Amino acid sequence: MRTTTKALMVLLTLSTAACTRPDRFGDEADGSGVSAGPVAAAPAPLSGANDPASPEFFAQTIGDRVLFAVDSSTLTDAGKATLDGQATWLSTNSDYLAIIEGHADEQGTREYNLALGARRANAVREYLVSKGVPSTRMRTISYGKERPIELCADEACYSKNRRAVTIISSGGLS
Amino acid sequence: MVVRFLTILMMCLFAGASVAQDGPLRLTITDGVIEPLPFAVVPFVAETGEAEQLAGDITRLVAQDLNNTGLFREIPANAFISVPATFSEALPYTDWRAINAQAVIRGAVSVSGDQMAVKFRLYDVFSGEELGEGLQFAGTVQGWRRMAHKVADAAYSRITGEGGYFDSRVVYVAESGTKGQRLKRLAIMDFDGANVQFLTDSAAIVLAPRFSPNGDRVLYTSYETGFPRINVLDVASVGRQQLATAPGEMAFSPRFSRDASKVIYSLANGGNTDLYITDLTTGQNQRLTTAPSIETAPSFSPDGSQIVFESDRSGSQQLYIMSTSGGEARRISFGDGRYGSPVWSPRGDQIAFTNQNAGRFHIGVMRTDGTEERLLTSSSLDEGPSWSPNGRVIMFTRETLGETGTSSLWSVDIAGRNLRQVVSNASDPAWGPLQP
């Protein structure tokens, strides 16, 4: 109950601040003054990626992404292991919300890849729900092939682009 | 009536026969016109002093439009034996027969303030007769390219017996930035890449714009809310609003019905993408498919009774046709590889599509029953065909791969000939109607 209240307070606080969504949503410059962690928390002894409660820790140490085979949205064993860690982290750090992005490599048509990305994001959400993360804390989005992170034209890059990335957000889900 | 025999060398790909044709000048476009029809454009006469520059520009653009179809071959002006000094004096046919011009176009341009007028006549040289009546177009000086396109459309139409496509526009996605952070904005241009006008900024990803049937509105997918939704944009005012779709996580791949009363699109919910129709008048939503597979990229038949779309219900992306009232879908693609982004032709007899096979992408066409499939292009990434208003040419996106890869718009005729780049740094073309 207390946790819920705190989460709501964080939400309300942040709703008046600048957008905290990942930069790919818009053109907001960095340094908008919004801290990445819960603003209500007292100064932590650890900061950034060293702080186990930080989104940076989630992204770098827990692992924010899972990869998929060509044209597949089936989670691999390695992917499930990563998601087990994500579920644990999200349960511990219940102030945070998650936006799950689904992506595809460029070997496909635009519309199909949007739909495929939606499938991948949903596969991650369903797995996290099965591990106890409330679905109300998650939202999915597909970028299709619009946002590759690796740019070469072979499997070494394509395999990293076929991904679902869990973005930790202290802001709203819409 | 003198009956003449005008033979145009043709080779029909499927009948495999040459066809002789009688009657007045007529280029029958088949899948296999291989000998372009020689034509000449007499330099348009400037009838007012200010019109000199425009007369030259219009002469060149009319010739370029026809030349670029691949169906016509311009005879250069330095081969002309005589050039009439005025628009009204008789055309000495023998001078044009001597250089084997089968069609001659002549015209005149006058300017008054910011208004201009273009007159033109088209001649069938070997019969020594005018082909159709003389025509006159009037408009603003600023719109001179449109008048040249209208002259070329009239000539094309009279010679081929089919509608033209030069006085038309294309809405597309203009691209900039690096491949990993591509910036995309909606833009509109003339069919030949001129007169580019941006319709949105690049603050949010925009994808796959589609014209309304009369070209006054554009549907497209935008990430401006943070999540993909469908917007409707008014071309004249550039005002836009979000389309009220059925409730769902992501809405994309919209297209107008031919009477513009409905929008068909894909909606993703819980990872499942299905097809929906929203009636713009009543606001009612109709769900067309319920399978757990991906159903997307829908396109209406011209009479609105059917749709073609892609689905992976068989295990891989394939093309299907179903009634807009629902019911069983019929698979039409059975060749090698995967098939996506189908578009029904304006005439209703063909489907253009993207085929992906063995690491290559192709733009192709097939009949609506899936027969007579032909792949027209091949590259490391071709996709997203759009039909010209007369159904003779297809524009599509070609993307080069790798870190420095960029997208550009290309066109090809439905015989697979005359492949040419239209503009660079652009994707997702949607070819609009002939302008009024």
Side-chain angles (χ1 to χ4, degrees):
Chain A
M1 189 63 196
R2 279 183 56 200
T3 309
T4 310
T5 310
K6 188 176 163 194
L8 279 173
M9 281 179 62
V10 170
L11 273 177
L12 286 169
T13 309
L14 286 176
S15 66
T16 59
C19 178
T20 58
R21 292 173 306 196
D23 60 3
R24 61 174 39 134
F25 287 125
D27 274 346
E28 290 96 13
D30 287 345
S32 57
V34 179
S35 71
V39 291
L46 296 169
S47 64
N50 293 325
D51 176 2
S54 73
E56 292 86 348
F57 183 88
F58 177 91
Q60 293 170 25
T61 307
I62 303 291
D64 64 353
R65 66 199 56 202
V66 297
L67 305 180
F68 296 89
V70 174
D71 201 17
S72 168
S73 57
T74 304
L75 295 169
T76 63
D77 288 344
K80 287 177 182 171
T82 300
L83 295 179
D84 286 340
Q86 289 189 6
T88 304
W89 191 93
L90 283 164
S91 299
T92 308
N93 300 281
S94 54
D95 292 346
Y96 287 103
L97 307 171
I99 293 174
I100 302 158
E101 300 178 349
H103 297 268
D105 66 32
E106 67 185 344
Q107 306 171 94
T109 51
R110 202 174 309 288
E111 298 88 352
Y112 184 82
N113 278 344
L114 282 174
L116 180 59
R119 256 186 195 164
R120 287 173 175 161
N122 189 64
V124 167
R125 172 170 58 188
E126 286 191 346
Y127 189 86
L128 292 175
V129 166
S130 79
K131 296 294 172 182
V133 181
S135 61
T136 50
R137 286 177 62 198
M138 294 181 280
R139 187 156 178 190
T140 56
I141 179 175
S142 174
Y143 283 94
K145 60 177 173 177
E146 300 305 314
R147 284 293 179 259
I149 47 165
E150 298 290 339
L151 305 181
C152 73
D154 55 47
E155 179 58 19
C157 290
Y158 291 160
S159 63
K160 296 193 177 86
N161 290 333
R162 294 189 299 265
R163 68 201 193 275
V165 184
T166 306
I167 305 289
I168 295 303
S169 165
S170 44
L173 284 179
S174 60
Chain B
M1 183 77 199
V2 181
V3 180
R4 295 170 302 101
F5 292 91
L6 174 71
T7 305
I8 297 167
L9 180 61
M10 291 185 297
M11 187 183 76
C12 180
L13 282 178
F14 299 104
S18 290
V19 181
Q21 189 175 333
D22 59 347
L25 178 62
R26 171 58 59 91
L27 176 68
T28 302
I29 308 173
T30 68
D31 291 325
V33 173
I34 52 168
E35 190 59 45
L37 184 143
F39 75 102
V41 183
V42 179
F44 279 34
V45 176
E47 294 192 326
T48 60
E50 312 93 304
E52 218 148 283
Q53 169 80 34
L54 273 177
D57 291 345
I58 289 173
T59 304
R60 277 188 292 279
L61 191 50
V62 169
Q64 177 187 303
D65 279 353
L66 293 170
N67 240 357
N68 285 356
T69 63
L71 301 173
F72 303 93
R73 177 173 58 77
E74 183 190 9
I75 297 171
N78 61 16
F80 296 175
I81 294 167
S82 64
V83 175
T86 67
F87 183 64
S88 51
E89 71 189 65
L91 194 76
Y93 288 108
T94 48
D95 288 354
W96 300 97
R97 282 183 201 125
I99 60 171
N100 195 35
Q102 296 197 24
V104 170
I105 295 165
R106 70 198 296 203
V109 182
S110 58
V111 172
S112 172
D114 65 349
Q115 297 294 306
M116 62 176 290
V118 178
K119 298 185 282 193
F120 99 103
R121 292 186 187 279
L122 174 66
Y123 301 89
D124 174 351
V125 172
F126 285 86
S127 72
E129 286 169 5
E130 231 185 301
L131 196 58
E133 302 278 296
L135 274 183
Q136 174 161 326
F137 303 106
T140 64
V141 169
Q142 204 188 359
W144 71 269
R145 292 186 72 95
R146 284 199 58 194
M147 270 172 276
H149 293 321
K150 281 196 175 298
V151 169
D153 273 327
Y156 177 99
S157 183
R158 289 174 182 189
I159 296 172
T160 65
E162 303 191 0
Y165 58 86
F166 309 122
D167 185 26
S168 61
R169 298 206 285 178
V170 173
V171 63
Y172 66 101
V173 173
E175 300 194 358
S176 60
T178 60
K179 191 164 190 171
Q181 278 294 332
R182 193 76 89 207
L183 296 174
K184 296 192 167 194
R185 61 197 302 200
L186 283 197
I188 194 168
M189 65 180 190
D190 294 351
F191 94 104
D192 58 1
N195 290 324
V196 171
Q197 180 196 343
F198 295 107
L199 302 176
T200 69
D201 62 24
S202 53
I205 298 173
V206 291
L207 301 174
R210 307 291 180 211
F211 268 120
S212 60
N214 70 5
D216 65 340
R217 282 168 293 161
V218 171
L219 289 165
Y220 64 102
T221 303
S222 170
Y223 281 67
E224 68 190 358
T225 63
F227 295 85
R229 306 299 305 180
I230 296 166
N231 280 0
V232 190
L233 180 141
D234 181 88
V235 174
S237 70
V238 202
R240 63 182 194 268
Q241 62 183 70
Q242 191 174 308
L243 181 78
T245 55
E249 291 162 352
M250 297 177 31
F252 59 101
S253 195
R255 213 181 270 277
F256 279 104
S257 62
R258 297 281 160 117
D259 65 358
S261 69
K262 298 186 181 79
V263 175
I264 191 166
Y265 54 95
S266 277
L267 201 66
N269 248 332
N272 181 25
T273 298
D274 275 306
L275 300 179
Y276 289 73
I277 291 179
T278 289
D279 187 311
L280 296 175
T281 320
T282 65
Q284 282 187 325
N285 301 308
Q286 176 195 356
R287 183 171 180 172
L288 278 182
T289 60
T290 54
S293 44
I294 288 172
E295 275 74 38
T296 189
S299 170
F300 281 103
S301 62
D303 68 2
S305 68
Q306 298 176 89
I307 54 163
V308 61
F309 63 97
E310 61 171 84
S311 167
D312 67 351
R313 61 185 63 180
S314 73
S316 74
Q317 251 178 305
Q318 300 293 339
L319 307 184
Y320 294 80
I321 285 176
M322 69 183 281
S323 165
T324 36
S325 50
E328 196 95 345
R330 171 171 50 91
R331 178 171 164 181
I332 62 166
S333 59
F334 292 97
D336 294 332
R338 305 160 58 154
Y339 292 79
S341 52
V343 193
W344 216 300
S345 72
R347 294 156 189 247
D349 59 340
Q350 296 201 79
I351 306 292
F353 56 82
T354 305
N355 172 265
Q356 184 186 351
N357 186 34
R360 301 288 289 175
F361 281 75
H362 312 273
I363 301 298
V365 292
M366 60 172 67
R367 297 191 61 79
T368 55
D369 61 3
T371 61
E372 296 180 26
E373 175 180 335
R374 279 174 292 155
L375 300 181
L376 308 178
T377 72
S378 178
S379 92
S380 50
L381 216 178
D382 285 352
E383 69 168 312
S386 178
W387 292 92
S388 64
N390 69 354
R392 283 297 172 189
V393 183
I394 289 170
M395 201 177 289
F396 60 96
T397 305
R398 171 165 287 182
E399 190 168 351
T400 52
L401 302 182
E403 191 153 4
T404 57
T406 58
S407 293
S408 46
L409 304 188
W410 290 67
S411 67
V412 66
D413 71 30
I414 57 169
R417 273 194 275 278
N418 201 31
L419 176 71
R420 54 179 61 237
Q421 183 173 325
V422 183
V423 289
S424 55
N425 298 311
S427 59
D428 292 3
W431 206 325
L434 268 187
Q435 301 191 83

